[in-house]
Each structure stands twice: as C-alpha cells, then as structure tokens.
Amino acid sequence: MTVTEDRPAAATGEIGRDRRRKEDQRLITGRTRWTDNIQLTGMLHMAMVRSPFAHAKIVSIDTSAAKAATNVVDVYTGADLGESQGVLINAWPITPDQKTPVHLPMPADRVAFAGEIVAAVVARTAAEARDAAELVDVEYEELPAALDMKEALRDEVLAHPDLGSNKSALWVFDSAEAGTGGNVDDAIAAARTDGVVVEREFRQNRLIPAFMEPRSTVVDPTGEQNVMYSATQVPHILRFALAATTGVPESKIRVVAPDVGGGFGGKLQVTPEEWLTWCIARRLGKPLKYTETRSESLMAAHHGRDQWQKLTMAADKDGTLTGFKIELTADLGAYVAVVGGGVPVLGAFMFNAIYKIPAYHFACQTVLTNKTWVDAYRGAGRPEATFGVERMMDELAHELGMDPMEVRRKNWIRHDEFPYTTVSGLEYDTGNYEAATEEAMASFGYDELRAEQQRRRESGDRVQLGIGISTFTEMCGLAPSRVLGSLDYGAGGWENASIRMLATGSVEVTTGASAHGQGHETAFSQIVADRLGVPFESVEILHGDTQVASKGLDTYGSRSLTVGGEALVKAADKVIEKAKPVAAHLLEANVDDIEFEAGTFSVRGTDQGISIADVAGAVFVAHNLPEGMEPSIDADATYDPVNFSFPHGTHLCAAEVDTETGAIKLRKYTCVDDIGNVINPLIVAGQVHGGLVQGIAQALFEDAVFDDAGTLVSASFVDYLVPTAADMISFDVHHRSTPSLTNTLGTKGVGEAGTIASTPAVVNAIVDAVRHFGVNDIVMPCTPERVWRAINGSGAGGADPTTGDAMPHFDAEGEQA
Amino acid sequence: MIPAQFEYAAPTSLEEALALLAEHGDEAKVIAGGQSLLPVLRMRLNAPEHVIDIGRIEGLRGIREDGDAIVIGATTTHATVLTDPLVAEHAALLTKAVHHLADAQIRHRGTFGGALAHADPAGDMGAPALALGAEFVIAEQGGGTRTVGADDFFVDLFETAIGEDELLTEVRIPKHTGWGAHYEKFVRVAHQWPIVAVAATLKAEGGTITEARVGLTNMGSTPLRARAVEQSLTGQPATEDAVRAACEAAAEGTNPPSDLNGDADYRRHLATVLSRRAVLAAAAG
Ligand SMILES: Cc1cc2nc3c(=O)[nH]c(=O)nc-3n(C[C@H](O)[C@H](O)[C@H](O)COP(=O)(O)OP(=O)(O)OC[C@H]3O[C@@H](n4cnc5c(N)ncnc54)[C@H](O)[C@@H]3O)c2cc1C
C-alpha cells in the first residue's frame, strides 16, 4: 500500500468510448464455451423423435428396434416418463380465466403440433442416437387440426378438444373505463359524421427467431448440485422453473448459460428439450447432451408475431386524432408459452405510440392452434403495435390528402409537454420528436426524394419511388415489478449486480443480466471502470451462471443496460461508500473530508490521495482498518426500476418498386434514434444495424408458412429467407441523447429499436410507391409477386396467402441411388 | 444434422470409380463438390451405403481449348469457371451466369459437372449450357464414352442422360467468340436459387441480331430453350420495341412450378420481362 503524494491525472472517461467488444474474439472464432462444445466424462447423447402431424392421437410407439440398435442406452416415451418429466410453465396468464393447455415436455397420448416430441433416444454418440431415432415406429391416428387462427375462433375444430374452445383469453384495456381518456366508440361515431374514419386490417406475419447457435442442453447430475448447461437467455428463470415444476430444491440446481449465440427472444423459453434432458440425465445418473438440428430449431423452437390487427382510427378533418380502436387476434400456437399470451398484450401500451389520442380501446384475443408455439421475438408486442399505428398514420394522411409527416407532427407529444401521461396510462419522462425528425429529414433528403417521386410518377417511370415514415417510441427496461404485478406477470423486473474488489487490483463484477451476443462484457466493464476509476482491462464481467451471479432476471426486453446497468452503478456506489472510511483511516483524515474522483480518494484541499485498488489491497490484508470494520468493501445491489425508459426515433425509408416485376430495392434508410446517453457507440451502431435488418426482413423476406396439413413449409433456410449483407444497403444511422430521467446513467434501451421501427417504414414506403395504382396495403412479407399482383389489381391488394411448396432443391427424388 | 453411415471411397482413376459404381450398383452415390448431395444426406432424404468421391481423379478437372470448342472437366469448380479467361472469351454466358450462382463459399466447393448432373431445374448452369449447345461426355462401363447433346441431356426433374453406373467426365462448349451475353436472375435474396432466370447470348452485326440463343431457368422440369423468342429475334434490330415484341413469346410451351416464391402465372410473366432484359443487355455488350 502506498499513499501517493501526487494526484494521478484524471482517467479518460470510459462511458461514450467506442471500444471494440472484448468478447468478440472468442465468440467469432468459436474457440469458446458454446454448450455443444461441452464434453463431460461419460456423457451420453440424445436425439428426438418428433411428430410429423399437426394434431394426432398417439396410438402406439414401438421402441424395440431402436433399443436394440448399436450403443443405444435407452429409449423413452411420454408414457415411460409420466409425471417425472415435469411440466412447462406459462408465467403470464393474462386473464384469470385464460385457457391454458397442460404442456408436457413429451406427451403420451396426443400431439398438438408438427414437431412435438414423442420419443427420446439416448446413445453413446450423437450419430448413434440419430440413427436409432429413425427406428422408432410411432403409430398415429390423425385428428383434424385447427390451423388458421380466424377459423379457429369459430371453435369448429379444436386444437385441444378437452379445453372446449380455442379461445385462450380476451384482454381488454379501455380508456373510458380506466379513466385515462374518452369513449372510443363515441369518438368513431362522431368522426363518421364530422371527421374521417380509417379502417384497416393488417397481418403480422409469423416469424422464426433464427438465432445463429441452435439450442443445446447438457445436464450433469453427478454432483450434489445438478447442473444444467443450456443455450438460454434466461438461466435464472430456468432454474426457478425447474425447481417449481420438477420438485428438485432450487438450492440443488445450478444453471449455466455458457456463451450463447444469439436469442432474439427465441431463447427466453423454458423448453421441452431442456426438461427432457434434465429428467433423463437424472434418471440415468449420467451427463447427457441434446443439441437440436437447424430443421428442429425452425420447426419446434418458438415462433414470433402472428397476429391479425383490425384497426379503426378516428380524426377531425384537420388531421387531429380523436380515437383509436385496436382489435387483435393473436395466434399462440399449440401451447401458451412462458410469456406467449403477454407479448401481444404489451401492445396495449404502445399502439398510442407518440401521439396524443383522446379515446382508446385495445382488445386482444389469443387463440390456440395446432401450430408451433409463439412467444417473444425481438421487440415483443411493440413492433406489432408500432407497425399498426404507423401504417395507420400513413393511411390517415392519404385519406386527408396531407403529408404523412404533417399528420404525425400535428398529433405527437411536443417536447415541452413532457412528462406526459399517455392514454394507455404510461408516463413518458422525456422525448424530443421534433428534433429527431428534423435531423432525420435533413439527412435523408426528404424534400428532394419527394420531388423525385413526383417526377417518376408523372413520367410513368417503370421504377416508382416511395417514402415511408415511422416515428416510433418503445417501452424499454422490463420492468418495474409493480407494473408487472398489476399485469399478473409471474415474476418481478429487478436486476442484481455485485462487485468484488480483488486483492491484486482487478474487479470482478457479476450481473444477473445474461448476455447472448449483445456485448455486455464490454459495456458493463466501461460503466464499472468509469464509476470506480479503474482501468477497463481490470474489470471482469461474470454472468450466466446461477452459482456465480446468483440473483438475476436475465436478458430480454431491452433491460440489461437500463435495469442491469443501474444495479451496477448502485453496487459501485456502495463499494465507494464502504471504501471511504478505509481511505480516511489510511490518510489519517476525517471521512467527511474525503472526496472520490477518477479512482482516487483524496483529502479535500490537500494533495494527499489513495487509489481504490490500494484500498482494496489494504482491506485484503486487513492489517490496518478502522476499528470494528468488516474487512470487505465488496457490495451488491438489486435495482427495481421506477419506470420504463422510452427511447424514440424517426426512421425514414425510400424504396424503389419495379412495377414490371414487383421487385423492391431499398434506396435510402435514415434513422435518428434518441436512446439517451450512450455507453458505447460501436455497440449501439451494431444493435441498430442488426435490428434494422431484422425489421426489414419481416417486411420483405421472412415468413413461416404452413401447408394445409399444418406442416411447416419454410422449414430450412432455403425457404425461410433470412437476408444477408448482400441484400441490404448502407444505413444512415444517427443518434440523439436526451437522457432518460428514470436511471442514473440516463440510458434508454436500444436492443430492439431498429426492429420495432423499421418494419412499418419499409411497408409504408412500398405502399407509397404504388398507391397511385389503387393500392392501400400489401401483406407482409411484401414479396415481388404480392407487389406485382397489388399493382395489377389481382389478389386483393396483394393479400393472397402464401401457398405452395418449398423449392425442392434437395429433394430425395433426384437422389434415389 | 448427421447423415446416416456410409462407406467412403476416393478413387484416383476413372476406371476405379467406374468399377466401384459397377460393384455397388444403386447402393452407391457419386460425390463431387457435395453442395447438393451433402444437404440431402444430412437431412436424411437419402442414405446411400457407398459414397464415391470423384474429386481426386486428376483428369476430370480443368478447362482447355479443343478446336472450335472449350472443354470443361466435370469436377472443375464454379469458382474456376468464373475466373477462367477461355470461358470469358468463348462462352461469356457461362461467366455471367456462374457469377450469380450461390455464394463464394459454395462456388469454391461445388462443381460444374455436379451442378449439371444434379439437374435441378432451378440450377443456374443448365439454361446457359443449353443455350450454348453444350455436349456432355459420359464415361460408360467397359471403357467407352458417349457424347450427348444438350437437347437430350436434361430428361426431367433431377434426371439426366447419365446412367446409374456412368460418370459425366467433361462438357464441350462450342465457342461463341464475340457473342454478347447476359444472365438475368430474379431472386428475393442474393443467396437464393432463381425464381426464374433467363440466359441470353447473341451475335449482332450492325445493330441487327443475326443469331440468338435464349435459355430459361426454372420454367419447367428441365432447363428450356425459348425457341420462339430466338426465331423472332433473328434478323431484328436490337431495339427495345423489337426485342419486347419478340420476348412476348418467352413463356410459350413452358410449365413453370408454383411454390413459395411465386405462382406459375407470375413466373410466366417474369419470363417475358426477364427475357427482354437479358436480350437487351446481351445486345449491349
Ligand atoms: C446454400 C446453397 C445455395 C445454392 N445456390 C445455388 C444457386 O443459386 N444456383 C445454383 O445453380 N446452384 C446452387 N447451389 C447448388 C450448387 O450449384 C452445387 O454446386 C451443385 O448443385 C452441385 O455440384 P456439386 O459438385 O456440389 O455436386 P454434388 O453435391 O457432389 O452432387 C450432386 C449430384 O450430382 C451427382 N454427380 C456429381 N458429379 C457427377 C458426375 N461427374 N457424374 C455423375 N454424377 C455426378 C451426384 O451423385 C449428386 O447426385 C446451392 C447450393 C447450396 C448448398
């Protein structure tokens, strides 16, 4: 320990630096701990047998040939495992009377979607398990399947006959009842005579999260703690759910999310595959691994979106909004997933978006079908809402003959009106829609592009140009626990962090947020380095292991930074407070005279100081501490947010439509996102770019299509079109920083912004390009064929459902030897 | 995913490969670049007991000039075809088309012969080969070879004139030196097989088209020639109007599929538009 006489030069601020991500080398090269890389002594491997039918009775399962195959250890069916397999939970029953089918990991009697597991084969190698799985002989008796969600509402064919209805729950928010606004039906009636009413029905296509790393689970039951390694976003929730449903005490369960390769919501599930690996490994007393194939992932990991949105917007003739009524039908698929019912309900708070709407009504009917289950996908409820309202604002503008930005400007909350309580009851703390929009329009060249659009239209150019707007906001940082409680969500929304000041000067930080590609290790290191004034390199972020970071609620809903980051700040502040008396003691000064800046405690008005690392060293040896002080300056903090954060932004898209073929070419994409204070601009840019591509992909490319038998047709990446860099343009990305008032760092979430905002911007642009052909909607994904049909007036505005088969490039037909 | 088990053989001579094919009959499958076969095996759509790798047979690889033709060995990779100067000079249509085939990784593994033998009607090599009047050299059991013309090579979906115990050894492409060429491929994402594509190559003198060849991809169970278009183009000026009129007939006699990426009627429409664009681009350079 040394007491320095000279004050060290102030450390350069870490926050706001565009540091390269420290985790990238190991993640990108793959020299890391992906779950499938884990090899344990004596580990066995598992393969699944899955139902090819959407709905069928399991008549019999003959496992004898599989059991007799080389190196097969055992084969299990639902009947073999019975109750020991536990049950999968729905953590968010949206109404008290929600119909929730029992979800067994492996049912014994009936399958409810194509891809559901009916048998599990365990062998010494993964290849032998796969080979033997082919030998399991299942006899099914096909049952009629409920596939189309609108037809399913009629309850003629039941997804789960024992439930008596496909209608799972109806969730309603009404501003007149809640006292947050007027009666929407009155507003609509009034507008029918004196104003304008726009009515549209939009489709939210079904999407597949398509994370890069397929899901994988390894269970090691050989110690006192049973360990589950899983490619999950939610190790803590997973541990809780395992304890709650399998009867194993929580203290005997350790869940590890090693490096996880993407999730986008797709890995916030608690899955049949995890439950079966857990159950069977424990039964065998041996480590067991299950890794899914890409085909299994596409068919059986949860899907996203999938709604019909019936929207009615009322306004005065000058464009002032008077009411907005939202009636959603949301497909849950075969089971109510962990937050499956809640995701569309989040839209209730977002359909009003950035606008002052006097009367508002939101109703969401969730429906069970015999398709893959549906749950959160990047944005979760907010993209759906943003799409609906932003498409409607364009439709309203057209109806009134106004510029679509003018209609928005007329109705949005002005920056001097914050804080603002919306018609759905949220309090927006800050925002500056005017400034973001002004910057976006200038950078985009809005007026020039409008002029070009006009020229092309007048000359009847083969290539027409359209401009699409999306002025969005979102609620980030899930979530204040009290709010979640009021929505009957099964958990809280706090986050935990702890900081351990090691003797040799490094700082070990644990966080309950569970990174799966976002760059937490870098951004969180910057926050701690900044707060404690220690070098960035000295900070180590530990996460994703319930024995290391024992408390946490994981990563989703753009919460890691705004909630988890705030917990870090609070823990760091506690460390500083604990260290202060030690510093005072060592500097022989009064605590009240100690100041802390840039990593150094100093005595006010003197040049005496001591670094926090040196204080940590002194505490480690504990030779000379203040009387009665516990020899530790480590601290932890659990932070429960008081409110959401509300990032917002203006996204502008210009798209060219080849009217001969319907082909779409993005011409320019500008976004100005106000995401509060930025910790690392490089990570923010990455999040925005990736988010934009995913949102654009919903508009143009991605679609989970089922055939009439309920089989997923887009079941490989040949047919489920995930775009690459080759399909995109360079984005014109800007950000503004109006600090959030709800957390110390002034940050807002950015993980989902691009996805939420971009989809309507793109579709608005396409519709704008071809509106003069009488088109007012094109169903997503806006394929060239749909655009072409819309232009040519066939297929109801391009609303034809996608039908037909997958492309047969790898058909066995050509390969019969 | 993991393929079912198979025996792997990597013969170094054509004779050896043919002998293995004779020995194992329909339990054997030839692998070249594996870019079509491996997905089939991994998805367990097929499970041959023997896989015979022809990648180590020296004589099957490479591109050479032979009189009025260039000769492309069956296991020559797409990447080699793409950058080969002989191909660029005498069969520019191939260079243009292979540029759009899949992505760089696949082009470095996949082979010219494998693509043609696989005979996916959505494959990008069939229509150009057909348009250029390629001849396919097939090695038979007993040491003989036979040459099959392009019109007889493609039999049906995934079916060619190559017999089960035979191998495609090389493809002879008559020189089309100085012909303009263009491959117009219509896709939704860049790494996709064409929804429809048109391969056009033509000779023009003083602004008049003297000869034209137009091949269609994914407009039926095999690659097709748009013969009506070819005939109408001959003797026409290479103008937008003339070409447009000629290309109206592009979908004549075709039988395109309906799938996720488009219904048959949309594909017929695309064929006319893309033919016009391909021909005009070919005429321009
Ligand atoms: C993701 C992806 C995208 C693709 N995109 C495209 C695309 O856009 N356009 C396109 O045209 N293609 C595309 N392909 C396919 C690619 O062109 C393959 O290279 C080609 O289809 C097969 O060539 P190969 O050498 O890999 O053949 P292999 O896969 O090894 O063999 C294919 C078939 O041909 C047989 N065969 C191979 N060589 C011979 C021979 N000499 N004699 C007799 N039989 C033989 C094999 O037995 C097998 O049945 C794509 C492939 C993938 C995986």
Side-chain angles (χ1 to χ4, degrees), chain A residues 815, chain B residues 30 32-37 78 102 106 110-111 123-124 168 185 193:
Chain A
E815 295 301 332
Chain B
V30 168
Q35 296 307 292
S36 294
L37 185 66
H78 299 306
I106 291 161
T111 68
D124 287 306
L168 176 66
K185 176 170 174 173
W193 277 265

Side-chain angles (χ1 to χ4, degrees), chain B residues 1 26 52 58 61 65 69 91 119 161 172 174 186 189 240:
Chain B
M1 188 154 170
D26 62 5
I52 300 165
E58 280 302 328
R61 197 177 312 120
E65 203 167 2
R172 298 175 64 85
F186 193 81
V189 293
E240 166 101 32

Side-chain angles (χ1 to χ4, degrees), chain A residues 57-115:
Chain A
K57 230 177 94 178
I58 301 169
V59 180
S60 65
I61 303 182
D62 181 354
T63 59
S64 53
K67 278 182 177 154
T70 318
N71 279 333
V72 167
V73 175
D74 212 341
V75 181
Y76 301 91
T77 64
D80 295 333
L81 297 182
E83 284 192 356
S84 72
Q85 55 178 316
V87 66
L88 297 160
I89 56 163
N90 165 237
W92 192 352
I94 55 173
T95 60
D97 61 351
Q98 169 178 291
K99 281 196 165 48
T100 314
V102 173
H103 191 183
L104 291 176
M106 181 157 68
D109 53 349
R110 185 176 61 90
V111 289
F113 73 97

Side-chain angles (χ1 to χ4, degrees), chain B residues 55-116:
Chain B
R56 307 227 178 129
I57 306 173
E58 280 302 328
L60 293 185
R61 197 177 312 120
I63 300 171
R64 64 191 157 84
E65 203 167 2
D66 182 12
D68 57 2
I70 57 167
V71 182
I72 305 179
T75 60
T76 309
T77 64
H78 299 306
T80 304
V81 173
L82 178 63
T83 52
D84 187 85
L86 282 175
V87 177
E89 187 180 352
H90 303 297
L93 184 56
L94 275 185
T95 310
K96 300 262 166 123
V98 80
H99 178 74
H100 294 280
L101 185 147
D103 56 35
Q105 281 165 300
I106 291 161
R107 288 196 296 267
H108 275 85
R109 280 254 153 226
T111 68
F112 186 60
L116 291 165

Side-chain angles (χ1 to χ4, degrees), chain A residues 353-371:
Chain A
I354 63 170
Y355 308 111
K356 296 178 276 190
I357 300 177
Y360 181 77
H361 178 90
F362 172 97
C364 173
Q365 174 70 58
T366 57
V367 191
L368 292 157
T369 62
N370 295 113
K371 286 183 180 170

Side-chain angles (χ1 to χ4, degrees), chain A residues 130-131 134 462 658 660-661 700-701 722 727 783-785 788-789 805 807-810 812 814-815 817, chain B residues 26 29 37 40 44-46 118 120 158 188-191 193 259-263 265-266 269 273 276-277:
Chain A
R130 190 70 257 157
D131 283 345
E134 309 269 310
R462 179 173 65 75
D658 179 341
E660 256 184 348
T661 61
L700 297 181
F701 306 120
V722 178
D727 305 301
T783 62
E785 182 178 16
W788 176 75
R789 286 192 197 284
D805 302 324
M807 279 196 182
H809 308 288
F810 303 125
E815 295 301 332
Chain B
D26 62 5
K29 211 51 213 165
L37 185 66
V40 170
R44 294 195 176 224
L45 296 169
N46 194 3
H118 187 55
D120 180 346
F158 303 113
R188 289 176 57 204
V189 293
H191 59 274
W193 277 265
D259 61 32
L260 284 184
N261 289 295
D263 284 350
D265 66 329
Y266 177 60
H269 166 75
V273 176
R276 179 194 348 125
R277 293 182 185 177

